[in-house]
Amino acid sequence: MSQSVKPNEPIVTHIYTADPSAHVFEGKLYIYPSHDIDHDGPTNDNGDQYAMEDYHVLSLDDLNSPCIDNGEALHVRDVPWASEQMWAPDAAYKNGIYYLFFPARDHDGIFRIGVATSTSPAGPFKAEDNYIPGSYSIDPAVLVDEDNRAYMYFGGLWGGQLEKWQTGAYKPEAPDPAATDRAYGPRVAELNEDMLTFKSEPAEIVIVDEEGKPLLAGDEERRYFEGPWVHKYNGKYYLSYSTGTTHKLVYAVGDKPEGPYVFKGTILTPVLGWTTHHSIVEFKDKWYLFYHDCSLSGGVDHKRSVKFTELKYNEDGTIQTIDPYK
Ligand code: FUB
């Protein structure tokens, strides 16, 4: 008999999973993770160790149930425009269709973001022939707002190539910003009603400190690195993300989906492993953080496991910092 899930423990152990995007669909929790695999390839700042080939959708009837693996939902071989590295996905529902958004390298080695569709939240998903025109970099996260407008947030530095797009075109030799330069922000683009195309060119989100000054590239404890997620709480937009090199999940709050966002604090202290990536979801009147670490693989960076824990707000709307190992 399969075991119920427990907070701060891998929700599945038969495969490695990472980058969880959790949503409530049809009364159940669905988790859209990356599917980490073993391989003999190189490990580097380019992220070659994250050599994922497919997606499995996980689901939970509730947080006292076993986690179901609904099987392969999409494989890179079935995505005409993609060549490799099926990284952190997200999903959304609109007009009777489930959409799986995912980044992968195209046939020129450039990360793009694609869409696949299904009539079921568990998939399988059928990929569109081409990536979203005008998309680039990694880590799509889609918010369908209360007015039914949908926004995609995306972007990641280093292996995710965001710094190579600062002119609006892909520049493979683009340098990193100087420590005193403004930090590069994630991108946001509203999706058209078809959920397959952008309504306008992606815009850069500005994250500022409490004095309204944009965060600087050298501020590695707070500046954006990768893995954006936006959720709403008490009418405010919460943009949370990974700080990459300092391995924290942090958040900033704004009044509009496109920002600006004011930096607030840390959600999750560093986990075992280089990457940290998450989502935040409300389920049955409680809030949960889904995240990953490498404890199941004994610290192997590209063999991660999805976990969850309850997330709590203070009365002023700030989020209580979580140490996953306490
Ligand atoms: O899983 C591959 C990459 O590692 C993701 O796209 C990043 O967010 C990081 O978790």
Side-chain angles (χ1 to χ4, degrees):
M1 202 172 109
S2 41
Q3 273 200 317
S4 298
V5 293
K6 293 200 183 101
N8 299 313
E9 291 192 9
I11 61 171
V12 289
T13 55
H14 66 293
I15 55 173
Y16 290 107
T17 56
D19 309 326
S21 291
H23 291 276
V24 179
F25 292 136
E26 301 177 359
K28 288 203 260 184
L29 258 178
Y30 280 87
I31 300 113
Y32 299 83
S34 301
H35 175 199
D36 282 356
I37 53 168
D38 217 352
H39 60 90
D40 299 325
T43 290
N44 48 41
D45 287 348
N46 209 27
D48 288 339
Q49 61 274 35
Y50 308 112
M52 299 83 101
E53 296 176 351
D54 67 1
Y55 297 111
H56 284 224
V57 178
L58 307 178
S59 57
L60 288 163
D61 285 349
D62 57 51
L63 289 164
N64 299 308
S65 310
C67 186
I68 309 294
D69 176 352
N70 294 281
E72 187 179 283
L74 180 69
H75 194 282
V76 67
R77 78 170 86 83
D78 298 320
V79 184
W81 63 266
S83 62
E84 59 179 348
Q85 292 187 297
M86 303 282 267
W87 283 12
D90 190 19
Y93 173 78
K94 198 168 182 180
N95 302 333
I97 297 175
Y98 291 91
Y99 297 86
L100 181 72
F101 298 95
F102 59 97
R105 285 185 194 264
D106 67 11
H107 295 288
D108 296 320
I110 299 174
F111 269 108
R112 304 285 186 172
I113 296 170
V115 197
T117 55
S118 177
T119 51
S120 163
F125 288 85
K126 166 110 179 60
E128 294 292 297
D129 284 348
N130 293 307
Y131 56 77
I132 298 175
S135 71
Y136 54 89
S137 196
I138 59 166
D139 291 357
V142 172
L143 171 78
V144 181
D145 209 345
E146 283 147 297
D147 60 5
N148 226 23
R149 290 169 75 175
Y151 301 87
M152 180 186 288
Y153 300 85
F154 65 92
L157 298 175
W158 294 13
Q161 304 176 336
L162 184 60
E163 63 276 30
K164 301 183 194 307
W165 283 95
Q166 297 309 311
T167 61
Y170 182 72
K171 302 271 186 240
E173 306 307 330
D176 286 341
T180 50
D181 287 348
R182 210 171 93 167
Y184 296 152
R187 302 302 198 255
V188 59
E190 187 172 350
L191 288 159
N192 279 316
E193 196 54 26
D194 64 8
M195 298 288 272
L196 306 175
T197 48
F198 292 153
K199 205 167 197 167
S200 52
E201 246 184 64
E204 184 169 6
I205 290 178
V206 181
I207 305 169
V208 300
D209 64 16
E210 295 283 354
E211 288 167 1
K213 291 195 198 114
L215 299 185
L216 301 182
D219 186 354
E220 295 184 32
E221 298 290 327
R222 299 192 294 177
R223 65 92 178 84
Y224 179 79
F225 190 90
E226 64 185 1
W229 185 260
V230 174
H231 75 280
K232 270 180 107 172
Y233 179 74
N234 283 348
K236 297 269 188 198
Y237 295 83
Y238 285 62
L239 165 68
S240 40
Y241 55 91
S242 164
T243 60
T245 50
T246 52
H247 317 290
K248 294 195 293 189
L249 291 177
V250 298
Y251 73 106
V253 175
D255 293 320
K256 291 183 290 183
E258 65 275 20
Y261 286 87
V262 181
F263 186 86
K264 290 291 175 189
T266 299
I267 297 175
L268 188 75
T269 54
V271 293
L272 180 64
W274 200 95
T275 66
T276 185
H277 189 121
H278 76 300
S279 58
I280 293 170
V281 66
E282 187 180 19
F283 184 55
K284 300 193 178 185
D285 298 326
K286 286 188 172 183
W287 287 87
Y288 295 95
L289 176 77
F290 279 77
Y291 66 100
H292 70 227
D293 79 358
C294 300
S295 54
L296 184 66
S297 67
V300 181
D301 214 33
H302 61 278
K303 293 201 292 189
R304 300 162 289 180
S305 300
V306 168
K307 301 180 167 186
F308 73 94
T309 191
E310 195 177 341
L311 176 141
K312 293 184 178 153
Y313 299 89
N314 296 310
E315 276 194 4
D316 63 0
T318 54
I319 293 175
Q320 296 180 7
T321 303
I322 298 163
D323 176 339
Y325 304 114
K326 269 194 183 148

